[in-house]
Structure formats: C-alpha cells, structure tokens
Amino acid sequence: MHPLKKLFDHARTYRRDAWLATLYSSLNKLFDVLPEVLIGVAVDVVVSRQDSFLARLGVVEVSSQLAWLGVLTVLIWAGESLFQYLYSVAWRDLAQNLQHRLRLEAYAHVQRLELSWFENRSSGNLLSVMNDDINQMERFLNTGANAIIQIVMSSLLIAAVFFALAPKLALISLLPVPLILWGTFWFQRRLAPRYAEVREAAGRINGRLNNNLYGIATIKSYAAEDFEAAHVAAASTEYVRTNAAAIRLSSAITPVIRMAILAGFVVTLVYGGWMALHGEIAVGSYSVLVYLTQRLLWPFTGLAEIADLYQRSMASIERVLNLIQTPIGIPYAGAALARDAVAGEVVFRNVDFSYDGQRPTLSAIDLTLPAGRTIGFVGSTGSGKSTLIKLLLRFYVPGAGRVEIDGRDIGGLDLQDLRRAIGYVPQEPFLTDGSVAENIAYGMPHATPAQIEAAARAAEAHDFIAALPRGYATPVGERGQKLSGGQRQRIALARAILKDPPILILDEATSAVDNETEAAIQRSLARVAQGRTTLVIAHRLSTVRHADAIHVLEHGQVVESGTHDQLLAHGGAYAGLWRLQTGEVG
C-alpha cells in the first residue's frame, strides 16, 4: 500500500480536515487562473468593443464593460486571497495535529514493546523516527501537499479553457503535460529507495551521537575524543554519500521538465499566433492562451523540489508507520489483579529461558518464595539472578514453565496490574529530569508532600535531601547526574517505598555504593521488608545475610538454598563466596 494512503487510512480522524484543505487549495487555484482569463476578456473589449464577449452577455457599453472588469478583478483577487489564507491555515493545522498524534502514538507504542525488541535497536535511530521522520512528514503537509493539488487543478482548469477556446491548439500545446507527469513519476520510483537509504543513514548518525553524548564521561576519561569524532565522521560521510546519490537524480528532473515546457510554450506562441492572424481564434483568446500556457507550464519547474520533498516524506512516513505497526510481543490485556489482595507468594515452576534461543540462561528453575519473607539471590555474574526478576516483571516470557503469584500464572494477568503490585529498585535507577520530590513520587502523581517525606525518611534519604539547595524541590539533572550514585539509589528506594507494593525487588541495589550507603539501605530494607515479599539480588553477601532464605545460582540453575548459617555450614559455593569477601566463616 502507498505510504500516503497508509497514513490517511491510519489517521481516519483527519480525513475531513484533509478534504477541506484540498477544497480550499482547489478554489484558490480556480481564482488564481481567472485573472489570465480576464486579461483576454479585457483585450477582447478593447479590440472588439460592442462585439466583445461581454457585449454578447448584455453589457453593451464599453465603459460598463470596463467597470465590470474592475469589479470582477477585485472579487477574483479577494477570493484568491481568502482561499490562500484558508488553505494555509488548514494544511498547517492538519500537519501540526497529525504530527502531534503520530509522535504520541509512536512513543506510546514503543513503550509497550517488549524489552527483547529493544536489544537489536538503536535508541538514536528510534529518536530519528519519532522526531526527524515525523517532522519530515509535517514539512510535506505544510507545503508539498498544496503544491501537488494546485498543479493538478491548474492542469485541469487550463486544459478546460484551452479546449473551449481552441481544441486543435490544445491537443498540441498540452501534449507535454502528460510527458512531464510521467517523467516525474519515473524519477519518483527511482528516488524512493534512495531516500529510504538516506533516512536509515540519518538514523545511524542519531544513534552514534546519542550513544556518545550518553557516554561523554567515559570518552573524556579515555581521551577518545578523536576516535569517536572519526566514528561520527564516518556515519556523516555515509549520510552525505546516500543523500548525494538522491540529489543527483532529483536534480535531473528540472532540466528535463524545462525542455518539455519550452516545447509547449513555443507551440502556443507560434501556432496560436498563426491561428489568430488567420481569424481561426480571436486576439483576446490568443492572449488568454499565451498567458495560460505560461501559468500552466511554469509551475512544473517546481516539480523537482516537490518530488524531492514528497519522496523524503514518503520514506519517513513508511518508517513511522512501520514502527507503529510493530506487533507487541507481550500483550498488556489480562485478568485484573487487585494489588491490595496480593499476598505475595512467588513460584517459578520448571522455568527455562534463553535470550537468543540457543544458549540457556535459566534451566529447570523450581522455586517457591513464601509471601512476606525476604529472599536473597546470589551468584556470579551471568548466573541468571536478574533474569529471574525480569521474568517476574514480564519484561520477558519464559521459554518453558510458568511464573505464579499467589497461585495465578502471571502470563494471564493484566500487565500493568502485575507491575503495580511490584516495587523495583534496579542497579542503575532511572531518574527523570525533575525535582527530588517528583522522582520519589514517580508513578504516584497524587502523593502528598508528607507521604513523599515519609518515604524519604524510611529510605534514610531525608537528611541529604534537606541539605540540598532547594530541598525536595532541587532539580536532579538529566538521569540524576547532579546526585551521587548512593543518593540516586536511596531516592529509588524511597520511590519503591512510597509505592507500598506487596512485592519489593532490589536488583544489586548496593553493588555500587559505599559502606555507609549500604548500611543505610540495609537498615531501610529491614524496616520496609516487614509484611511484604522482598527479593534481594546481591553480589555483596552482607546485603542478604539476614534474609529468610538465600538461593545460589550458577549457570542458570539453583545449586544451593538455605539461610546464611545453613549455607556456611554446608561449605559449598556460598561459603566459598563468603570467605572470598570476608576472609572468615561465620
């Protein structure tokens, strides 16, 4: 299906606006053509006087004919100006509304896609689609759509006048028009794949820039500025190369069209003049035809620019709609889960999982995590600890087996209800570019200042927040860069505490903090874990030492389970890790 048709099939709400804008453009072009007709009528009045066209309509006096010409001229120019204003507003409003809707729709859809979809996607390329490509579509609707409609209307209206005044001349003079249109479409078909490459190249540049800006501290610390500048230069060079190939082809359109225009104009000028000299058409009609030929054919020189804008826009529209129509791998709909009714028992029943479908990450996991208990997960990097949590949050779906909460398969639950029942504190917490209070209340927009402060106190974050320049109103900066790692962790913990979920997850929440912050988080955890199921993933065994049960994972399997004392007495993998970290047993 053509991208433009796909766009308006997708955005049916705006069909009426599109048709109204098209009507205004068409009426504007009608009034735009009429002044040339009036010139011919004026010449006819001066030459033929009482035998003129207006005289045959009943306006005999020459002075009256001229007065009527003046009145008609004012009306026609007023009509042209009115409809120019109306189509300008209509097309721009349509462009703004449509780009606004598409951007929100694309972003909302992307948020609902599963995490595995993002693994093979560049965030910079996604930004390019949701911003640059949608802006490209907006530019086309602002100017290009009206230009195409007016060229079509010019062709139809002027062809009608030609055939009414001089059918034989019309057949010859208008012969270049279908050739021009055919040539334009021929060029367009060849431009389409080139502009698809241009948009992909632009996405790669965005991806590189986004990645580098995110990691600017690492780039500076490794003195890798020149190295990364070379990467950006390579991506930019590729964009220039693909764009240049498209430009060379699109630039060839105008010279070809000019030759066709020249042929049509010469025929009208020479052959039409011969017909006027031999009395086959009136002098006024000849004047009309000469002016109309210029008015019809000259705008075709702009077809190159319009075709260029059109093809760029079609490539962008295709990318945006393909993104919006990406199937959602993990559906959101399901049975309701009332958070207040969740006891918090979590069961993994014979769960297998693999990220790539080949190498197993988890194998035959059978675990029952009792409600209201604190459960620790330890093991080496890549052992599958965080993957268990991601399956519980349904970021991914098990390859085999099932995950249950209170005996219900989470695969059949409403996805947002499930996640509202879980508080999640990741190793690298996400903070928005807002205030401290806004970040603690993230996802809880109706939280009161007193509730926010109580959550911060429970997370032992209140003291450092109160010492900030504006307290809870202090901006944290993009990704929380104005705060230390430990401060970000405690704000993330306060956020989870404010949510008051029946299930709380801490994924390596103390791995990158100092001893003082770790102690603060452990004190907070001891308080907030009361009465809720708390799952703690940790490299530091001191974090889970007091858990009700600890499970040790290696190579995607549970190799040991028990309390801290039981595992030390067992003398297995956990005891070895403990000795490595502390140099002692017990």
Side-chain angles (χ1 to χ4, degrees):
M1 186 185 295
H2 193 278
L4 203 55
K5 186 176 188 309
K6 285 170 66 175
L7 175 64
F8 283 102
D9 280 350
H10 181 77
R12 295 177 182 273
T13 310
Y14 299 103
R15 281 187 171 184
R16 178 182 175 277
D17 296 337
W19 282 115
L20 199 58
T22 301
L23 175 64
Y24 293 152
S25 293
S26 301
L27 290 174
N28 169 260
K29 181 48 62 178
L30 171 63
F31 281 100
D32 184 50
V33 167
L34 289 178
E36 274 69 22
V37 176
L38 284 183
I39 290 173
V41 173
V43 172
D44 187 48
V45 168
V46 172
V47 173
S48 303
R49 298 174 182 268
Q50 282 81 10
D51 296 325
S52 68
F53 173 73
L54 287 180
R56 292 196 294 275
L57 293 179
V59 185
V60 179
E61 292 294 327
V62 174
S63 58
S64 297
Q65 293 179 29
L66 292 174
W68 271 105
L69 282 174
V71 171
L72 289 173
T73 299
V74 171
L75 292 175
I76 288 170
W77 279 78
E80 181 185 2
S81 300
L82 171 64
F83 288 110
Q84 182 175 5
Y85 169 78
L86 291 175
Y87 83 63
S88 295
V89 171
W91 282 117
R92 288 175 183 176
D93 282 350
L94 176 62
Q96 290 297 313
N97 292 333
L98 195 51
Q99 65 90 13
H100 175 70
R101 172 178 168 172
L102 280 181
R103 181 174 286 112
L104 294 183
E105 191 172 350
Y107 178 69
H109 187 79
V110 165
Q111 286 193 121
R112 297 171 75 88
L113 292 169
E114 62 280 8
L115 281 184
S116 60
W117 184 86
F118 290 90
E119 291 171 356
N120 298 317
R121 303 297 190 288
S122 159
S123 59
N125 194 44
L126 287 175
L127 288 173
S128 176
V129 173
M130 290 188 286
N131 193 40
D132 295 346
D133 285 325
I134 288 177
N135 289 341
Q136 186 69 49
M137 176 212 68
E138 179 192 355
R139 285 191 287 273
F140 169 71
L141 289 177
N142 274 337
T143 58
N146 172 70
I148 291 172
I149 290 166
Q150 294 215 327
I151 285 177
V152 171
M153 285 301 300
S154 289
S155 302
L156 295 176
L157 291 171
I158 294 173
V161 174
F162 256 82
F163 279 101
L165 296 179
K168 186 164 58 173
L169 178 60
L171 287 172
I172 302 173
S173 297
L174 299 179
L175 184 62
V177 172
L179 296 177
I180 291 171
L181 295 176
W182 177 86
T184 301
F185 289 128
W186 184 90
F187 276 106
Q188 282 179 356
R189 284 194 297 272
R190 282 150 183 79
L191 279 171
R194 287 174 168 81
Y195 279 127
E197 290 181 16
V198 170
R199 297 313 310 155
E200 289 298 325
R204 286 191 290 273
I205 290 178
N206 276 357
R208 173 61 65 179
L209 292 173
N210 180 71
N211 185 70
N212 286 6
L213 291 174
Y214 183 77
I216 192 67
T218 302
I219 292 171
K220 287 178 175 293
S221 67
Y222 281 86
E225 290 92 341
D226 292 342
F227 177 76
E228 290 300 341
H231 276 168
V232 172
S236 185
T237 300
E238 177 64 12
Y239 174 76
V240 169
R241 185 193 66 78
T242 56
N243 214 2
I247 290 170
R248 281 193 294 272
L249 185 60
S250 66
S251 298
I253 301 176
T254 298
V256 172
I257 289 175
R258 282 179 179 273
M259 293 302 100
I261 290 171
L262 176 63
F265 187 72
V266 168
V267 168
T268 303
L269 193 66
V270 176
Y271 185 56
W274 183 89
M275 292 177 72
L277 288 172
H278 289 77
E280 294 187 26
I281 58 173
V283 174
S285 298
Y286 174 61
S287 302
V288 170
L289 295 177
V290 170
Y291 281 115
L292 286 181
T293 303
Q294 176 78 358
R295 175 56 65 92
L296 169 65
L297 296 179
W298 191 250
F300 279 108
T301 58
L303 273 179
E305 183 177 346
I306 295 170
D308 186 82
L309 178 60
Y310 174 81
Q311 278 310 145
R312 288 178 184 269
S313 301
M314 292 308 102
S316 293
I317 289 170
E318 189 79 29
R319 276 162 50 93
V320 174
L321 293 181
N322 284 344
L323 176 61
I324 291 174
Q325 291 161 4
T326 301
I328 295 174
I330 301 178
Y332 270 58
L337 178 67
R339 190 178 72 164
D340 294 341
V342 175
E345 182 188 63
V346 176
V347 177
F348 293 88
R349 293 195 185 278
N350 199 32
V351 169
D352 293 343
F353 180 77
S354 171
Y355 285 102
D356 59 10
Q358 297 176 353
R359 294 168 296 179
T361 304
L362 296 174
S363 300
I365 299 294
D366 271 305
L367 283 176
T368 297
L369 313 179
R373 302 293 181 86
T374 297
I375 312 296
F377 293 93
V378 299
S380 59
T381 300
S383 60
K385 307 182 300 296
S386 294
T387 302
L388 282 174
I389 301 309
K390 292 174 182 177
L391 293 178
L392 176 58
L393 285 161
R394 287 205 80 205
F395 290 162
Y396 298 90
V397 176
R402 54 192 278 175
V403 182
E404 300 175 358
I405 290 180
D406 296 342
R408 301 175 67 181
D409 184 355
I410 66 171
L413 299 176
D414 180 272
L415 193 54
Q416 292 202 322
D417 282 355
L418 168 69
R419 291 171 180 169
R420 289 188 182 106
I422 300 173
Y424 177 50
V425 183
Q427 181 178 358
E428 297 181 6
F430 167 73
L431 298 187
T432 66
D433 189 8
S435 68
V436 171
E438 289 169 340
N439 274 281
I440 293 175
Y442 189 74
M444 304 286 288
H446 303 298
T448 65
Q451 290 171 326
I452 293 171
E453 182 176 327
R457 287 183 182 277
E460 299 203 12
H462 175 74
D463 289 345
F464 88 76
I465 294 173
L468 294 173
R470 295 171 57 189
Y472 284 85
T474 303
V476 302
E478 187 177 10
R479 298 187 305 277
Q481 61 187 355
K482 293 183 179 180
L483 303 177
S484 70
Q487 289 172 333
R488 289 196 294 269
Q489 282 289 3
R490 279 186 273 182
I491 287 177
L493 181 58
R495 174 192 293 169
I497 293 170
L498 179 63
K499 188 177 181 180
D500 192 25
I503 301 172
L504 178 63
I505 299 171
L506 282 80
D507 186 358
E508 304 282 12
T510 63
S511 64
V513 299
D514 56 36
N515 292 333
E516 181 182 350
T517 301
E518 181 188 11
I521 290 175
Q522 286 179 345
R523 289 193 298 269
S524 300
L525 183 59
R527 289 192 295 270
V528 303
Q530 298 299 318
R532 76 181 82 238
T533 305
T534 306
L535 311 183
V536 183
I537 295 174
H539 272 116
R540 292 182 181 178
L541 302 188
S542 56
T543 305
V544 296
R545 178 176 183 175
H546 301 293
D548 296 303
I550 301 169
H551 300 287
V552 183
L553 277 76
E554 291 296 338
H555 306 296
Q557 295 182 317
V558 178
V559 295
E560 289 182 334
S561 296
T563 65
H564 172 77
D565 292 336
Q566 290 171 341
L567 291 172
L568 288 183
H570 180 66
Y574 182 88
L577 288 171
W578 181 261
R579 286 194 297 271
L580 184 64
Q581 291 188 14
T582 66
E584 60 177 292
V585 177

